[in-house]
Amino acid sequence: SDILHGEQVQLTCNLPTLIPCNAVEFIFNLNGDFVMNVTVGSSQSRVMLTQFKMDASHQGRYSCLYRTTSNGQAVSSPYSNSTEVVLLHPKISLSVSNVSMFWGSKGPKVTRGHSFSITCSIQPRYPGGLFHLDFSGSNRTETKPAVNHSASFHFPFAEYKHEGNYRCSYEVNVSTWALGSAKSNLTVTIRGKITQALPKSCTKSILYET
Ligand SMILES: *[C@@H]1O[C@H](CO)[C@@H](O)[C@H](O)[C@H]1NC(C)=O
Ligand SMILES: *[C@@H]1O[C@H](CO)[C@@H](O)[C@H](O)[C@H]1NC(C)=O
Ligand SMILES: *[C@@H]1O[C@H](CO)[C@@H](O)[C@H](O)[C@H]1NC(C)=O
Ligand SMILES: *[C@@H]1O[C@H](CO)[C@@H](O)[C@H](O)[C@H]1NC(C)=O
Ligand SMILES: *[C@@H]1O[C@H](CO)[C@@H](O)[C@H](O)[C@H]1NC(C)=O
Ligand SMILES: *[C@@H]1O[C@H](CO)[C@@H](O)[C@H](O)[C@H]1NC(C)=O
Ligand SMILES: *[C@@H]1O[C@H](CO)[C@@H](O)[C@H](O)[C@H]1NC(C)=O
């Protein structure tokens, strides 16, 4: 599932059936690597991996297995199906006032001189919060409050200086928790204005300004 940075995550491992009389050792893995083990008495059919506060280092696929003894024999379950834990990414999209947008291999291309907007949105989970938009071409970060879990950043006149990588992130305070999303990026290319040559004989030629 998708989790915000700072959210509490708890993972549990369940036994398919209660194994009587013996202690059971649960082993948790993250991306196939050992994370921790917990040994419980015979009466517990599930065990919780110690809660953690989400951050990038906790991303990955979790699975568990259990080991016990039955009639003096070691018994081990196969690994459980894994559960994926990832940081929640906002959606980033671009819209233009008119049909002056094209999709290139690297993302949208906006025609110079036209207006465009970059919209950041997030799946509804908490009310309020802020969206930040970083731009690779400057050190400025624009911030807007989330309205209906989204915010739009408007650029009235596309210039070559607007070309680059835009990154959206979301932040929200929930009681004393400061939660945040991962960053989602979009590469915007500005292309020259399409101009029609003036002489009648040349009306079919379309030039691209550079
Ligand atoms: C599980 O925990 C016990 C006790 O802390 C330890 O001896 C054992 O090696 C651990 N198992 C694994 C697979 O690390
Ligand atoms: C594990 O995954 C398989 C295949 O997706 C599914 O058929 C099975 O029901 C799952 N088992 C559990 C315990 O969720
Ligand atoms: C496209 O958008 C630009 C900038 O907003 C505007 O100047 C132009 O008239 C628009 N063109 C059309 C065909 O709507
Ligand atoms: C961004 O900031 C860094 C260090 O603060 C500086 O070296 C760099 O030139 C700045 N870049 C722009 C595009 O302003
Ligand atoms: C928020 O979304 C709802 C449902 O989509 C809509 O009815 C409402 O007008 C939106 N509010 C704002 C401020 O955009
Ligand atoms: C969360 O609270 C801190 C401390 O009061 C504040 O600096 C920050 O701007 C707040 N963030 C949001 C998204 O409201
Ligand atoms: C932008 O995001 C894509 C995946 O969505 C990633 O592969 C790429 O490295 C990112 N680029 C930057 C500059 O962060």
Side-chain angles (χ1 to χ4, degrees):
S1 42
D2 291 0
I3 312 289
L4 287 167
H5 193 283
E7 271 184 318
Q8 286 273 34
V9 178
Q10 60 183 57
L11 297 168
T12 55
C13 191
N14 297 296
L15 280 178
T17 53
L18 207 56
I19 296 164
C21 306
N22 290 304
V24 179
E25 181 192 21
F26 289 89
I27 296 172
F28 288 92
N29 277 20
L30 170 56
N31 298 326
D33 295 329
F34 173 78
V35 176
M36 68 178 295
N37 66 3
V38 182
T39 300
V40 299
S42 59
S43 59
Q44 256 178 282
S45 65
R46 53 172 26 211
V47 68
M48 189 177 77
L49 175 67
T50 313
Q51 284 192 6
F52 57 85
K53 245 181 159 179
M54 184 63 183
D55 66 33
S57 71
H58 289 113
Q59 293 190 110
R61 302 198 76 94
Y62 289 84
S63 59
C64 64
L65 60 74
Y66 64 89
R67 290 204 287 237
T68 188
T69 51
S70 176
N71 300 323
Q73 299 265 66
V75 178
S76 182
S77 76
Y79 277 107
S80 67
N81 285 352
S82 62
T83 293
E84 190 169 27
V85 171
V86 293
L87 278 169
L88 182 61
H89 279 77
K91 263 202 255 170
I92 180 167
S93 63
L94 182 134
S95 61
V96 290
S97 56
N98 49 34
V99 293
S100 60
M101 186 184 70
F102 300 84
W103 281 88
S105 57
K106 281 193 217 136
K109 294 187 177 202
V110 178
T111 303
R112 186 168 163 260
H114 289 179
S115 67
F116 67 100
S117 296
I118 291 178
T119 301
C120 305
S121 60
I122 194 119
Q123 73 190 45
R125 193 169 300 187
Y126 302 105
L130 298 171
F131 282 100
H132 302 291
L133 185 71
D134 307 338
F135 175 50
S136 60
S138 74
N139 285 338
R140 262 185 48 228
T141 297
E142 280 195 69
T143 298
K144 283 201 164 184
V147 176
N148 262 0
H149 315 288
S150 79
S152 279
F153 298 86
H154 190 63
F155 299 83
F157 193 89
E159 280 288 3
Y160 292 122
K161 68 173 184 191
H162 293 127
E163 194 163 281
N165 199 258
Y166 291 84
R167 299 196 302 171
C168 276
S169 56
Y170 173 76
E171 259 191 354
V172 65
N173 287 338
V174 177
S175 68
T176 58
W177 302 88
L179 308 180
S181 73
K183 290 186 178 190
S184 295
N185 71 63
L186 181 72
T187 301
V188 175
T189 307
I190 307 297
R191 57 175 237 172
K193 204 181 276 176
I194 299 167
T195 50
Q196 297 247 318
L198 283 178
K200 277 244 163 80
S201 59
C202 298
T203 49
K204 275 187 182 149
S205 64
I206 290 174
L207 305 174
Y208 294 89
E209 277 179 12
T210 49

PDB file of all heavy atoms in Angstrom, residues 181-193:
ATOM      1  N   SER A 181       4.484  13.366   1.244  1.00  0.00           N
ATOM      2  CA  SER A 181       4.526  12.391   0.150  1.00  0.00           C
ATOM      3  C   SER A 181       5.935  12.332  -0.419  1.00  0.00           C
ATOM      4  O   SER A 181       6.789  13.145  -0.090  1.00  0.00           O
ATOM      5  CB  SER A 181       3.572  12.824  -0.959  1.00  0.00           C
ATOM      6  OG  SER A 181       4.109  13.933  -1.650  1.00  0.00           O
ATOM      7  N   ALA A 182       6.142  11.382  -1.311  1.00  0.00           N
ATOM      8  CA  ALA A 182       7.338  11.390  -2.148  1.00  0.00           C
ATOM      9  C   ALA A 182       7.156  12.491  -3.196  1.00  0.00           C
ATOM     10  O   ALA A 182       6.106  13.129  -3.238  1.00  0.00           O
ATOM     11  CB  ALA A 182       7.493  10.030  -2.807  1.00  0.00           C
ATOM     12  N   LYS A 183       8.177  12.697  -4.016  1.00  0.00           N
ATOM     13  CA  LYS A 183       8.076  13.704  -5.076  1.00  0.00           C
ATOM     14  C   LYS A 183       7.796  13.033  -6.408  1.00  0.00           C
ATOM     15  O   LYS A 183       8.392  11.999  -6.712  1.00  0.00           O
ATOM     16  CB  LYS A 183       9.380  14.498  -5.185  1.00  0.00           C
ATOM     17  CG  LYS A 183       9.584  15.403  -3.992  1.00  0.00           C
ATOM     18  CD  LYS A 183      10.798  16.292  -4.153  1.00  0.00           C
ATOM     19  CE  LYS A 183      10.907  17.221  -2.940  1.00  0.00           C
ATOM     20  NZ  LYS A 183      11.911  18.260  -3.109  1.00  0.00           N
ATOM     21  N   SER A 184       6.898  13.638  -7.166  1.00  0.00           N
ATOM     22  CA  SER A 184       6.615  13.141  -8.514  1.00  0.00           C
ATOM     23  C   SER A 184       7.102  14.190  -9.496  1.00  0.00           C
ATOM     24  O   SER A 184       6.938  15.381  -9.250  1.00  0.00           O
ATOM     25  CB  SER A 184       5.120  12.953  -8.714  1.00  0.00           C
ATOM     26  OG  SER A 184       4.653  11.946  -7.868  1.00  0.00           O
ATOM     27  N   ASN A 185       7.692  13.748 -10.584  1.00  0.00           N
ATOM     28  CA  ASN A 185       8.261  14.735 -11.496  1.00  0.00           C
ATOM     29  C   ASN A 185       7.683  14.667 -12.903  1.00  0.00           C
ATOM     30  O   ASN A 185       7.126  13.654 -13.319  1.00  0.00           O
ATOM     31  CB  ASN A 185       9.777  14.614 -11.506  1.00  0.00           C
ATOM     32  CG  ASN A 185      10.240  13.359 -12.202  1.00  0.00           C
ATOM     33  OD1 ASN A 185      10.004  13.192 -13.387  1.00  0.00           O
ATOM     34  ND2 ASN A 185      10.896  12.472 -11.477  1.00  0.00           N
ATOM     35  N   LEU A 186       7.835  15.759 -13.597  1.00  0.00           N
ATOM     36  CA  LEU A 186       7.351  15.875 -14.976  1.00  0.00           C
ATOM     37  C   LEU A 186       8.346  16.764 -15.711  1.00  0.00           C
ATOM     38  O   LEU A 186       8.704  17.834 -15.227  1.00  0.00           O
ATOM     39  CB  LEU A 186       5.980  16.550 -14.952  1.00  0.00           C
ATOM     40  CG  LEU A 186       5.278  16.750 -16.300  1.00  0.00           C
ATOM     41  CD1 LEU A 186       4.789  15.406 -16.830  1.00  0.00           C
ATOM     42  CD2 LEU A 186       4.094  17.687 -16.144  1.00  0.00           C
ATOM     43  N   THR A 187       8.782  16.301 -16.876  1.00  0.00           N
ATOM     44  CA  THR A 187       9.721  17.090 -17.670  1.00  0.00           C
ATOM     45  C   THR A 187       8.946  17.838 -18.745  1.00  0.00           C
ATOM     46  O   THR A 187       8.218  17.218 -19.515  1.00  0.00           O
ATOM     47  CB  THR A 187      10.789  16.170 -18.293  1.00  0.00           C
ATOM     48  OG1 THR A 187      11.454  15.511 -17.227  1.00  0.00           O
ATOM     49  CG2 THR A 187      11.797  16.969 -19.109  1.00  0.00           C
ATOM     50  N   VAL A 188       9.083  19.146 -18.738  1.00  0.00           N
ATOM     51  CA  VAL A 188       8.357  19.985 -19.688  1.00  0.00           C
ATOM     52  C   VAL A 188       9.358  20.546 -20.700  1.00  0.00           C
ATOM     53  O   VAL A 188      10.421  21.037 -20.319  1.00  0.00           O
ATOM     54  CB  VAL A 188       7.622  21.129 -18.960  1.00  0.00           C
ATOM     55  CG1 VAL A 188       6.971  22.087 -19.957  1.00  0.00           C
ATOM     56  CG2 VAL A 188       6.566  20.567 -18.012  1.00  0.00           C
ATOM     57  N   THR A 189       8.995  20.457 -21.961  1.00  0.00           N
ATOM     58  CA  THR A 189       9.808  21.021 -23.035  1.00  0.00           C
ATOM     59  C   THR A 189       9.017  22.173 -23.653  1.00  0.00           C
ATOM     60  O   THR A 189       7.801  22.066 -23.814  1.00  0.00           O
ATOM     61  CB  THR A 189      10.086  19.936 -24.100  1.00  0.00           C
ATOM     62  OG1 THR A 189      10.627  18.797 -23.446  1.00  0.00           O
ATOM     63  CG2 THR A 189      11.063  20.428 -25.151  1.00  0.00           C
ATOM     64  N   ILE A 190       9.693  23.264 -23.945  1.00  0.00           N
ATOM     65  CA  ILE A 190       9.041  24.395 -24.621  1.00  0.00           C
ATOM     66  C   ILE A 190       9.493  24.357 -26.071  1.00  0.00           C
ATOM     67  O   ILE A 190      10.693  24.254 -26.359  1.00  0.00           O
ATOM     68  CB  ILE A 190       9.445  25.736 -23.968  1.00  0.00           C
ATOM     69  CG1 ILE A 190       9.216  25.728 -22.448  1.00  0.00           C
ATOM     70  CG2 ILE A 190       8.693  26.901 -24.646  1.00  0.00           C
ATOM     71  CD1 ILE A 190       7.793  25.558 -21.990  1.00  0.00           C
ATOM     72  N   ARG A 191       8.558  24.395 -26.985  1.00  0.00           N
ATOM     73  CA  ARG A 191       8.963  24.394 -28.385  1.00  0.00           C
ATOM     74  C   ARG A 191       8.581  25.723 -29.033  1.00  0.00           C
ATOM     75  O   ARG A 191       7.683  26.431 -28.546  1.00  0.00           O
ATOM     76  CB  ARG A 191       8.377  23.226 -29.156  1.00  0.00           C
ATOM     77  CG  ARG A 191       6.874  23.146 -29.130  1.00  0.00           C
ATOM     78  CD  ARG A 191       6.422  22.028 -30.037  1.00  0.00           C
ATOM     79  NE  ARG A 191       5.514  22.555 -31.042  1.00  0.00           N
ATOM     80  CZ  ARG A 191       5.061  21.862 -32.062  1.00  0.00           C
ATOM     81  NH1 ARG A 191       5.453  20.629 -32.264  1.00  0.00           N
ATOM     82  NH2 ARG A 191       4.223  22.395 -32.916  1.00  0.00           N
ATOM     83  N   GLY A 192       9.296  26.017 -30.100  1.00  0.00           N
ATOM     84  CA  GLY A 192       9.098  27.290 -30.773  1.00  0.00           C
ATOM     85  C   GLY A 192       7.682  27.478 -31.256  1.00  0.00           C
ATOM     86  O   GLY A 192       6.950  26.526 -31.510  1.00  0.00           O
ATOM     87  N   LYS A 193       7.320  28.752 -31.343  1.00  0.00           N
ATOM     88  CA  LYS A 193       5.992  29.103 -31.835  1.00  0.00           C
ATOM     89  C   LYS A 193       5.884  28.707 -33.306  1.00  0.00           C
ATOM     90  O   LYS A 193       6.829  28.862 -34.064  1.00  0.00           O
ATOM     91  CB  LYS A 193       5.832  30.626 -31.714  1.00  0.00           C
ATOM     92  CG  LYS A 193       4.409  31.102 -31.618  1.00  0.00           C
ATOM     93  CD  LYS A 193       4.371  32.629 -31.533  1.00  0.00           C
ATOM     94  CE  LYS A 193       4.574  33.119 -30.117  1.00  0.00           C
ATOM     95  NZ  LYS A 193       4.621  34.587 -30.047  1.00  0.00           N
TER      96      LYS A 193
END
